[in-house]
Amino acid sequence: VLFGLLYRSINRFGSLTDKSKTTLKTLKKAQKKYLMPLHYIVNIIALLLAIIHFSLSNCRSSSLPEWGLALMACIVVVGIILKMNITPKGVRKTFYKIHTNPLTIGLVVTVLLIGHSIVD
């Protein structure tokens, strides 16, 4: 996922030669082919571990842990919905944009980090 985000940012904003862009594109294709199946499994495991972690911890001073878990669960569920192709085409495009947007991932990570720093 991180390489995909970096690839899009570098490709969009970086001034690279055509050979560099071709090399990056080849790496992106290989990464997508070999690591994407692992991405599906690891995200579901991470969500299950997050639910267990949340259920074992207790914080009455902040609602950020709940928000972080809810946002993470939404992103995972949207990914599962996209993988299973159970949405109409119009909604699918919107779900894909939400699921792959770097701002969405950044928001979840920020909420989780702030929530954990408040709890600690």
Side-chain angles (χ1 to χ4, degrees), residues 53 57-62 65 112-120:
H53 170 67
S57 63
N58 187 8
C59 176
R60 299 190 196 287
S61 63
S62 174
L112 288 172
L113 287 175
I114 292 171
H116 278 88
S117 67
I118 289 173
V119 171
D120 295 337

Side-chain angles (χ1 to χ4, degrees), residues 5 21 42 57 59 79 104 108 112:
L5 293 173
K21 286 185 179 184
V42 170
S57 63
C59 176
T104 308
V108 171
L112 288 172

Side-chain angles (χ1 to χ4, degrees), residues 58-71:
N58 187 8
C59 176
R60 299 190 196 287
S61 63
S62 174
S63 64
L64 285 177
E66 289 91 349
W67 280 103
L69 182 61
L71 288 171

